[in-house]
Amino acid sequence: MALQRVLKPDLLHSQSIFRSASRSSRSEQKHDILGASLLGRLRYASSTSGGHSPQSTNEDSHSDFSREGDRPTTSSPSTQASQSSSPSPSQTQPSSRTSPQSDWDENPNWNIDAFSQLPHSNFGVNQHMVINDEFKEALRQILWQFRAPIRYAFAYGSGVFPQNNSSSSASCSTHPPQKRGTGRQIDFIFGVSYTQHWHSLNLQQHRDHYSALGYLGSALVSRVQDRWGAGVYFNPYVTVNGTLIKYGVVNLDTLCKDLSEWDTLYLAGRLQKPVKILRDDPRVRLANQVNLLSAVRTALLLLPPSFSETKLYNTIASISYMGDLRMSLRTENYNKVANIVTNQLPNFRRLYSPLIENLPNVSFKDPRCSDPRWADDPTTDAYLSQDMDPVKRGNMVRRLPKSFRQKLYFQYQSRFQIPQLEFDKMLEESSDEDATRIKRRQGGSFEQRIAGDEKGLAREVRSVIKRTISWPSTSQSFKGLFTGGIVRTWRYLGEKLQKYREGTTKVTKDTGKEKPGSWDEKAKE
């Protein structure tokens, strides 16, 4: 009834869709359980291979809602039974390492508007985490309280995935949403097609979500969003459907650019950690798969020949915090990254193991991985090894995101003292923009020289990460004073300072040191 009161007559068709979603919840629950039990299948299906599963589609219930107003689709029970009884794809399909479609990330097609245009039918299902079914439904109902169209949405942070030892489950969140004004805030990101139009509709419905900036109209709000900081407009500490939430609004073009090119790493960094996608979009799914693969490659450039699985995920999770103003001001828990990885290890495996298994220069080297149940065991910390051959690592450098790679090139131009004309020629040769031919991104002598810099490569990569994140993060933080208002911003800072004190207390207790080291020292450990 509450939903009926907020819907206009011209949106009553959405009401019937919502009823359909409720009727399909039992089928979706079965499908989510199936997804958890078939992690091995997901590692194959969401990999860079071109294999197809005849029973599944991209508008699968892993996507929950593929776009605003679409009917959620689920696999039928008979189909699920067929899938669960069928042989593993790794037993029936050729190795994805030799698949002709394994190089989709070299020349992705960004001009897509349907899931059927993705490289293969199960592409990107590794991005969809399994959480408590009741909690998932509550999160999705929050989205239905917004009349403005949301094309892509995900929930993230400690309000969705626990970051402490109080929860024994790292793969699902069992706690229900907090009631009005109490408990932990749940964070959302909404991807929208037209920024000003979205804020215009949302200001009419939820004026109380905005600070005084909202009185100046949707044109100014959208201008502040798109032209200042990382392109995100946050409304914190608002209550929707009895739940305390913070939601950020971003244009889909801005989101896809950051995911594919790493121009700010603001949202790309958030999506490098497990999130719960509530509404999916094919272009964002493709861009995020590129983002996840780039995160693995960047982490490998920072790691030695052999390392543990936890070390890999810690390195990936720490990328988005290097250069973050909150870390410099010590307003975040010192153990934040370790808490995220330790309590979400199965989710990190779900997200990254399909990509790791299809990269030619890194592999799991742990006998425990031969046990089919190892992926769901949070106590297993498998070991991996990578090939340090400069040619293969040079290829990784060449395949880093465009904006990020160019910053690294400029860093090494100065380091190697390369003349400007010669450097310009190298940049032209490495350009990705060529509409007339397909270019295979192979590292040349310059990339191999970069990869061979054993002593300085990790330092230079960290430096580029900090430069990429520092200004967008700082300006986005200052933007919060205007978008969130002084009272909400002060509340936010108070909570962050409390988290920092809690982390410092724990470190002091565990190590015996009066003060922990800096965040940069922690990231290098």
Side-chain angles (χ1 to χ4, degrees), residues 30-91:
K30 293 179 181 179
H31 198 92
D32 274 351
I33 294 173
L34 177 68
S37 65
L38 295 182
L39 184 60
R41 179 187 292 272
L42 287 175
R43 285 205 295 271
Y44 174 88
S46 62
S47 69
T48 54
S49 72
H52 291 259
S53 174
Q55 294 91 0
S56 60
T57 66
N58 282 294
E59 291 82 8
D60 190 42
S61 66
H62 285 288
S63 304
D64 291 337
F65 290 114
S66 60
R67 64 179 64 181
E68 172 69 13
D70 281 354
R71 181 185 298 274
T73 58
T74 59
S75 301
S76 66
S78 62
T79 298
Q80 294 173 10
S82 174
Q83 287 178 327
S84 61
S85 62
S86 62
S88 167
S90 60
Q91 297 173 330

Side-chain angles (χ1 to χ4, degrees), residues 178-203:
Q178 295 80 7
K179 294 305 178 183
R180 185 174 301 275
T182 65
R184 191 185 299 276
Q185 178 177 248
I186 297 178
D187 299 333
F188 292 84
I189 292 292
F190 298 161
V192 305
S193 298
Y194 304 101
T195 306
Q196 183 175 346
H197 176 66
W198 196 91
H199 284 294
S200 176
L201 295 175
N202 200 47
L203 279 164

Side-chain angles (χ1 to χ4, degrees), residues 86-98:
S86 62
S88 167
S90 60
Q91 297 173 330
T92 59
Q93 298 287 349
S95 171
S96 58
R97 289 180 184 267
T98 59

Side-chain angles (χ1 to χ4, degrees), residues 77 86 113 206 216 240-241 245 288 358 361 366 401 501 505:
S86 62
D113 55 14
H206 296 301
L216 302 179
V240 177
N241 229 27
I245 73 169
N288 193 32
N358 286 276
N361 59 322
D366 197 311
R501 284 192 289 267
T505 302

Side-chain angles (χ1 to χ4, degrees), residues 229-232 254 257-259 261-269 320 403 407 465 467-473:
V232 188
T254 302
K257 184 178 180 183
D258 192 36
L259 291 172
E261 298 186 11
W262 284 15
D263 56 341
T264 68
L265 266 171
Y266 192 83
L267 292 175
S320 63
S403 180
K407 292 186 181 78
I465 293 173
R467 286 174 51 202
T468 301
I469 293 174
S470 179
W471 173 245
S473 170

Side-chain angles (χ1 to χ4, degrees), residues 79-356:
T79 298
Q80 294 173 10
S82 174
Q83 287 178 327
S84 61
S85 62
S86 62
S88 167
S90 60
Q91 297 173 330
T92 59
Q93 298 287 349
S95 171
S96 58
R97 289 180 184 267
T98 59
S99 168
Q101 295 190 35
S102 62
D103 293 333
W104 58 264
D105 64 296
E106 292 191 17
N107 295 279
N109 175 22
W110 302 116
N111 298 317
I112 62 173
D113 55 14
F115 289 99
S116 60
Q117 295 173 294
L118 289 168
H120 55 83
S121 61
N122 283 320
F123 183 86
V125 281
N126 57 307
Q127 300 173 23
H128 290 268
M129 300 296 110
V130 178
I131 66 172
N132 176 276
D133 193 63
E134 179 185 356
F135 185 45
K136 178 186 70 174
E137 187 64 27
L139 295 176
R140 292 166 62 180
Q141 287 186 25
I142 289 173
L143 301 186
W144 283 98
Q145 307 309 310
F146 291 86
R147 297 174 192 164
I150 301 169
R151 289 288 303 275
Y152 180 82
F154 65 88
Y156 67 100
S158 57
V160 182
F161 299 98
Q163 296 178 10
N164 55 58
N165 295 326
S166 61
S167 174
S168 59
S169 174
S171 62
C172 66
S173 178
T174 58
H175 51 274
Q178 295 80 7
K179 294 305 178 183
R180 185 174 301 275
T182 65
R184 191 185 299 276
Q185 178 177 248
I186 297 178
D187 299 333
F188 292 84
I189 292 292
F190 298 161
V192 305
S193 298
Y194 304 101
T195 306
Q196 183 175 346
H197 176 66
W198 196 91
H199 284 294
S200 176
L201 295 175
N202 200 47
L203 279 164
Q204 294 177 29
Q205 183 188 8
H206 296 301
R207 174 61 193 85
D208 58 314
H209 291 185
Y210 291 79
S211 67
L213 202 62
Y215 287 112
L216 302 179
S218 61
L220 182 62
V221 168
S222 62
R223 193 173 298 115
V224 170
Q225 172 184 320
D226 294 331
R227 300 185 184 181
W228 197 2
V232 188
Y233 191 103
F234 282 105
N235 283 327
Y237 300 109
V238 299
T239 302
V240 177
N241 229 27
T243 304
L244 186 67
I245 73 169
K246 176 183 74 176
Y247 63 91
V249 183
V250 63
N251 188 280
L252 285 178
D253 292 336
T254 302
L255 174 59
C256 289
K257 184 178 180 183
D258 192 36
L259 291 172
S260 60
E261 298 186 11
W262 284 15
D263 56 341
T264 68
L265 266 171
Y266 192 83
L267 292 175
R270 279 161 173 76
L271 283 162
Q272 287 164 6
K273 296 176 277 292
V275 303
K276 179 55 187 174
I277 297 173
L278 302 168
R279 287 185 186 164
D280 208 351
D281 178 86
R283 190 158 62 105
V284 179
R285 188 188 290 192
L286 174 61
N288 193 32
Q289 200 76 342
V290 171
N291 172 47
L292 297 175
L293 194 56
S294 299
V296 174
R297 287 172 173 152
T298 302
L300 292 176
L301 294 174
L302 296 170
L303 290 169
S306 299
F307 48 90
S308 69
E309 191 182 17
T310 299
K311 182 63 176 176
L312 172 64
Y313 300 146
N314 270 288
T315 303
I316 292 173
S318 68
I319 289 175
S320 63
Y321 295 110
M322 298 183 194
D324 192 326
L325 178 65
R326 295 172 300 172
M327 298 303 174
S328 301
L329 296 178
R330 300 194 174 187
T331 55
E332 275 289 2
N333 190 328
Y334 181 77
N335 291 309
K336 186 176 182 70
V337 170
N339 290 341
I340 291 173
V341 174
T342 301
N343 293 284
Q344 297 182 51
L345 187 56
N347 282 337
F348 272 93
R349 285 190 183 127
R350 182 185 182 95
L351 196 58
Y352 286 107
S353 60
L355 304 175
I356 294 169

Side-chain angles (χ1 to χ4, degrees), residues 237 481 484-497:
Y237 300 109
L481 290 170
I486 296 176
V487 175
R488 291 175 179 175
T489 302
W490 185 256
R491 179 180 176 182
Y492 174 81
L493 287 174
E495 292 184 357
K496 291 297 182 181
L497 286 169

